[in-house]
Amino acid sequence: MSEETEKKEESLFDAPPMAEQERMVEAMLFASAEPLSTRDMGERMPHGCDPAEAVVHLRKRYEGRGVRVAKVGDAWAMRTAPDLGYLMSRETVETRKLSRAAIETLAIIAYHQPVTRAEIEEIRGVSVSRGTVDQLLEMEWIRFGRRKMTPGRPVTFVVTQEFLDQFGLESARDLPGLKELRAAGLLENRPPPGTMPQLGEGEEADESETAPGQNELFED
C-alpha cells in the first residue's frame, strides 16, 4: 500500500474536538506517576490529535486552581500549586537523608554539568567516594552523560528529569543563584573559591551557554 493511500485512509476520520483532546490529556496526566511528553501522549491519542495544543488549553483551565499543569524538562505533569504545598507536609515521609558529601556532589553536578568525577573532586577539594555517586544514581537524580573526548574518555554526570521534578524546576536554568542561596542560609557569605558556580555578583550566568569549542570535548 502506497504512502498516499495510507494518508487518504487516515484522513477519513476526523480528529476529536479540542475539548475532547483536552480531556484525554487531562486523564493521562492525572493517572500517570511520571511526567509525560507530548510525544508519549500523542502515541496514545487518536489520529490527528494535537496534544501540544491540548496541553496549552489545559494549562489555562487549571490556572489559579489547587493543581496545575507543570512542565518538567520536556514533559508535563499535574502538580500541587506551589502556594498550597504546605498542606501536603503531613503526608511527606522522609525515608533517607543525604550526606553532606552527596549534597555537595549533587550541587556541583547541577551547576557544572556535564562534569566528570575528576572535575567534581577538583571543585570539592576532596575525593568523591563511589558510594556517594551510587546513591545519587540509585535515587535517579543524576545519570551518566556523554564521555569527554580527552585522554581516557572519562564519563560525565548530569542531573535527571526526576531531579528537576523533585525540586519543581523546569530546567537547570531555574536553579537559584548565589544571592538566593545565601538568603536561604545555604551558603556562607564567603564560600571557598571554586566550590560554587561562578556567577556574577549582580546577575546570574546562563548555564546553558556553552563555551566556544566545548562541544568538541564530548562525543555524541
Side-chain angles (χ1 to χ4, degrees):
M1 184 180 294
S2 66
E3 183 177 349
E4 292 184 0
T5 303
E6 291 180 355
K7 288 183 178 179
K8 288 181 179 179
E9 290 183 357
E10 291 175 347
S11 63
L12 292 176
F13 302 94
D14 294 331
M18 183 51 62
E20 183 64 17
Q21 295 183 40
E22 184 182 337
R23 292 181 65 238
M24 294 178 185
V25 169
E26 182 181 27
M28 287 186 285
L29 293 181
F30 179 80
S32 178
E34 303 292 336
L36 297 174
S37 67
T38 53
R39 180 177 180 179
D40 294 332
M41 292 183 280
E43 291 175 349
R44 306 180 188 183
M45 299 171 71
H47 172 73
C49 288
D50 188 347
E53 184 177 353
V55 167
V56 172
H57 288 279
L58 190 63
R59 292 189 77 184
K60 292 180 179 179
R61 183 179 297 276
Y62 275 91
E63 286 180 356
R65 303 296 297 272
V67 294
R68 65 190 181 106
V69 179
K71 188 173 184 181
V72 181
D74 59 352
W76 299 92
M78 297 189 76
R79 294 290 181 260
T80 303
D83 61 319
L84 298 179
Y86 70 93
L87 296 173
M88 310 299 135
S89 60
R90 293 184 179 180
E91 304 299 327
T92 300
V93 178
E94 185 175 349
T95 57
R96 183 185 305 181
K97 191 171 184 178
L98 287 178
S99 64
R100 179 174 179 178
I103 293 175
E104 291 177 354
T105 300
L106 180 61
I108 291 171
I109 294 173
Y111 281 99
H112 295 269
Q113 64 176 341
V115 60
T116 65
R117 180 190 293 268
E119 291 169 339
I120 296 172
E121 293 177 343
E122 181 180 355
I123 294 173
R124 287 194 65 214
V126 294
S127 61
V128 178
S129 70
R130 181 175 180 180
T132 296
V133 174
D134 287 344
Q135 181 184 11
L136 296 175
L137 287 170
E138 182 181 346
M139 296 175 68
E140 297 184 345
W141 281 4
I142 66 171
R143 64 176 177 81
F144 295 112
R146 296 174 293 177
R147 288 185 177 275
K148 206 167 187 178
M149 300 301 288
T150 56
R153 291 171 59 191
V155 69
T156 60
F157 297 98
V158 297
V159 294
T160 64
Q161 183 168 286
E162 285 75 10
F163 167 84
L164 298 176
D165 191 18
Q166 176 69 30
F167 294 97
L169 303 173
E170 181 174 328
S171 70
R173 300 180 186 179
D174 299 323
L175 287 164
L178 289 179
K179 286 186 176 181
E180 289 83 354
L181 292 174
R182 287 172 181 163
L186 300 177
L187 262 188
E188 297 179 1
N189 289 331
R190 296 183 180 180
T195 58
M196 292 304 295
Q198 300 300 315
L199 302 180
E201 188 62 26
E203 58 183 2
E204 298 181 9
D206 187 354
E207 289 85 1
S208 67
E209 292 183 359
T210 305
Q214 185 175 342
N215 288 334
E216 299 176 1
L217 296 178
F218 301 92
E219 66 178 5
D220 294 329

